[in-house]
Amino acid sequence: MTNIVVVVLNYKTPDLAVLAAQSAAAAMTNFGGSIVLIDNDSPDDSFQRMTELTRATNWPSHLDVQVLQSGRNGGFGAGNNFGIRSGLEICPTAEFVYILNPDAQVEPGAITVLVNYLQSN
């Protein structure tokens, strides 16, 4: 099974971030790996809210879903780099990293199409 690390970087949009992660999980039925929701040091209750929503979600058992705090807001790049490093520590066998904005949704089948293309090219 191909493993993927999905990184969702949040800054003050916890509900959207969890919805994005849920859409990724739904599109990963044929893939293993991890989904990491990273709070980029939001000045609100984002970290707590994402943790609560994530605990209340019934995630597929083949995925490791975690909510992490970056500890500082170094911007978009630094936050995603933190997420990538963390995700690869959680799932060191991942072949791909998928960065997903919190205000985006993964269409059904989209990850399969992307992985198939990357593997054949």
mmCIF file of all heavy atoms in Angstrom, residues 18 32 44 46 59 64 67 70 79 82 84 86 88 95 99 104 120:
data_model
loop_
_atom_site.group_PDB
_atom_site.id
_atom_site.type_symbol
_atom_site.label_atom_id
_atom_site.label_comp_id
_atom_site.label_asym_id
_atom_site.label_seq_id
_atom_site.Cartn_x
_atom_site.Cartn_y
_atom_site.Cartn_z
ATOM 1 N N VAL A 18 -10.312 20.914 9.753
ATOM 2 C CA VAL A 18 -10.774 19.546 10.018
ATOM 3 C C VAL A 18 -11.623 19.037 8.849
ATOM 4 O O VAL A 18 -11.501 17.874 8.451
ATOM 5 C CB VAL A 18 -11.510 19.453 11.362
ATOM 6 C CG1 VAL A 18 -12.135 18.080 11.558
ATOM 7 C CG2 VAL A 18 -10.553 19.770 12.510
ATOM 8 N N GLY A 32 -2.449 4.337 2.680
ATOM 9 C CA GLY A 32 -2.177 4.469 4.099
ATOM 10 C C GLY A 32 -1.444 5.770 4.353
ATOM 11 O O GLY A 32 -1.249 6.579 3.459
ATOM 12 N N ASP A 44 -6.013 32.203 18.773
ATOM 13 C CA ASP A 44 -7.346 31.867 19.272
ATOM 14 C C ASP A 44 -7.323 30.439 19.818
ATOM 15 O O ASP A 44 -6.261 29.916 20.137
ATOM 16 C CB ASP A 44 -8.396 32.048 18.172
ATOM 17 C CG ASP A 44 -8.128 31.189 16.940
ATOM 18 O OD1 ASP A 44 -7.231 30.311 16.983
ATOM 19 O OD2 ASP A 44 -8.813 31.378 15.928
ATOM 20 N N SER A 46 -7.809 27.684 18.222
ATOM 21 C CA SER A 46 -7.751 26.763 17.085
ATOM 22 C C SER A 46 -7.210 25.395 17.441
ATOM 23 O O SER A 46 -7.766 24.367 17.037
ATOM 24 C CB SER A 46 -6.898 27.353 15.960
ATOM 25 O OG SER A 46 -7.562 28.379 15.281
ATOM 26 N N TRP A 59 -12.258 8.411 12.185
ATOM 27 C CA TRP A 59 -11.273 8.358 11.103
ATOM 28 C C TRP A 59 -11.070 6.913 10.653
ATOM 29 O O TRP A 59 -11.189 5.991 11.460
ATOM 30 C CB TRP A 59 -9.942 8.933 11.576
ATOM 31 C CG TRP A 59 -10.034 10.361 11.987
ATOM 32 C CD1 TRP A 59 -10.170 10.827 13.256
ATOM 33 C CD2 TRP A 59 -10.028 11.508 11.141
ATOM 34 N NE1 TRP A 59 -10.243 12.201 13.251
ATOM 35 C CE2 TRP A 59 -10.151 12.651 11.966
ATOM 36 C CE3 TRP A 59 -9.928 11.689 9.764
ATOM 37 C CZ2 TRP A 59 -10.183 13.940 11.455
ATOM 38 C CZ3 TRP A 59 -9.948 12.981 9.262
ATOM 39 C CH2 TRP A 59 -10.076 14.088 10.088
ATOM 40 N N ASP A 64 -3.255 7.495 10.413
ATOM 41 C CA ASP A 64 -2.875 8.072 11.699
ATOM 42 C C ASP A 64 -3.127 9.575 11.592
ATOM 43 O O ASP A 64 -2.452 10.267 10.825
ATOM 44 C CB ASP A 64 -1.402 7.786 11.984
ATOM 45 C CG ASP A 64 -0.975 8.187 13.379
ATOM 46 O OD1 ASP A 64 -1.726 8.920 14.057
ATOM 47 O OD2 ASP A 64 0.115 7.773 13.797
ATOM 48 N N VAL A 67 -3.167 16.098 15.592
ATOM 49 C CA VAL A 67 -3.188 17.559 15.653
ATOM 50 C C VAL A 67 -1.941 17.986 16.405
ATOM 51 O O VAL A 67 -1.687 17.515 17.523
ATOM 52 C CB VAL A 67 -4.451 18.082 16.369
ATOM 53 C CG1 VAL A 67 -4.436 19.600 16.447
ATOM 54 C CG2 VAL A 67 -5.707 17.584 15.673
ATOM 55 N N SER A 70 2.641 24.089 16.053
ATOM 56 C CA SER A 70 3.964 24.429 15.520
ATOM 57 C C SER A 70 4.834 25.136 16.557
ATOM 58 O O SER A 70 6.056 25.082 16.477
ATOM 59 C CB SER A 70 3.841 25.298 14.268
ATOM 60 O OG SER A 70 3.327 26.573 14.603
ATOM 61 N N GLY A 79 5.516 26.688 8.516
ATOM 62 C CA GLY A 79 4.460 25.836 9.068
ATOM 63 C C GLY A 79 4.324 24.528 8.316
ATOM 64 O O GLY A 79 4.176 23.461 8.913
ATOM 65 N N PHE A 82 7.304 22.279 9.061
ATOM 66 C CA PHE A 82 7.089 21.620 10.348
ATOM 67 C C PHE A 82 6.141 20.435 10.170
ATOM 68 O O PHE A 82 6.378 19.348 10.699
ATOM 69 C CB PHE A 82 6.525 22.620 11.364
ATOM 70 C CG PHE A 82 6.168 22.001 12.680
ATOM 71 C CD1 PHE A 82 7.128 21.825 13.670
ATOM 72 C CD2 PHE A 82 4.869 21.587 12.931
ATOM 73 C CE1 PHE A 82 6.802 21.229 14.882
ATOM 74 C CE2 PHE A 82 4.520 21.000 14.147
ATOM 75 C CZ PHE A 82 5.499 20.819 15.122
ATOM 76 N N ILE A 84 5.504 18.696 7.405
ATOM 77 C CA ILE A 84 6.135 17.637 6.612
ATOM 78 C C ILE A 84 7.088 16.827 7.487
ATOM 79 O O ILE A 84 7.039 15.589 7.486
ATOM 80 C CB ILE A 84 6.872 18.231 5.394
ATOM 81 C CG1 ILE A 84 5.865 18.816 4.397
ATOM 82 C CG2 ILE A 84 7.763 17.180 4.733
ATOM 83 C CD1 ILE A 84 6.486 19.698 3.333
ATOM 84 N N SER A 86 7.098 16.516 10.740
ATOM 85 C CA SER A 86 6.312 15.778 11.732
ATOM 86 C C SER A 86 5.605 14.588 11.099
ATOM 87 O O SER A 86 5.593 13.484 11.652
ATOM 88 C CB SER A 86 5.287 16.700 12.389
ATOM 89 O OG SER A 86 5.929 17.760 13.061
ATOM 90 N N LEU A 88 6.426 12.923 8.418
ATOM 91 C CA LEU A 88 7.375 11.877 8.039
ATOM 92 C C LEU A 88 7.933 11.145 9.258
ATOM 93 O O LEU A 88 8.328 9.987 9.151
ATOM 94 C CB LEU A 88 8.497 12.455 7.184
ATOM 95 C CG LEU A 88 8.065 12.895 5.783
ATOM 96 C CD1 LEU A 88 9.197 13.616 5.072
ATOM 97 C CD2 LEU A 88 7.547 11.718 4.965
ATOM 98 N N GLU A 95 5.607 7.788 0.717
ATOM 99 C CA GLU A 95 6.237 8.036 -0.580
ATOM 100 C C GLU A 95 5.920 9.435 -1.100
ATOM 101 O O GLU A 95 6.641 9.962 -1.945
ATOM 102 C CB GLU A 95 5.764 7.006 -1.597
ATOM 103 C CG GLU A 95 6.162 5.588 -1.249
ATOM 104 C CD GLU A 95 5.604 4.598 -2.239
ATOM 105 O OE1 GLU A 95 5.777 4.799 -3.458
ATOM 106 O OE2 GLU A 95 4.979 3.625 -1.786
ATOM 107 N N ILE A 99 0.164 18.620 0.441
ATOM 108 C CA ILE A 99 -0.135 19.820 1.230
ATOM 109 C C ILE A 99 -1.519 20.306 0.820
ATOM 110 O O ILE A 99 -1.778 20.576 -0.353
ATOM 111 C CB ILE A 99 0.926 20.914 1.000
ATOM 112 C CG1 ILE A 99 2.268 20.423 1.537
ATOM 113 C CG2 ILE A 99 0.508 22.211 1.672
ATOM 114 C CD1 ILE A 99 3.414 21.353 1.282
ATOM 115 N N ALA A 104 -9.723 24.176 1.389
ATOM 116 C CA ALA A 104 -9.891 23.349 0.189
ATOM 117 C C ALA A 104 -10.473 21.995 0.578
ATOM 118 O O ALA A 104 -10.400 21.578 1.729
ATOM 119 C CB ALA A 104 -8.553 23.162 -0.515
ATOM 120 N N SER A 120 3.708 6.928 -12.606
ATOM 121 C CA SER A 120 3.988 6.578 -14.013
ATOM 122 C C SER A 120 4.909 7.576 -14.697
ATOM 123 O O SER A 120 5.388 7.323 -15.786
ATOM 124 C CB SER A 120 2.681 6.434 -14.802
ATOM 125 O OG SER A 120 2.029 7.684 -14.907
#
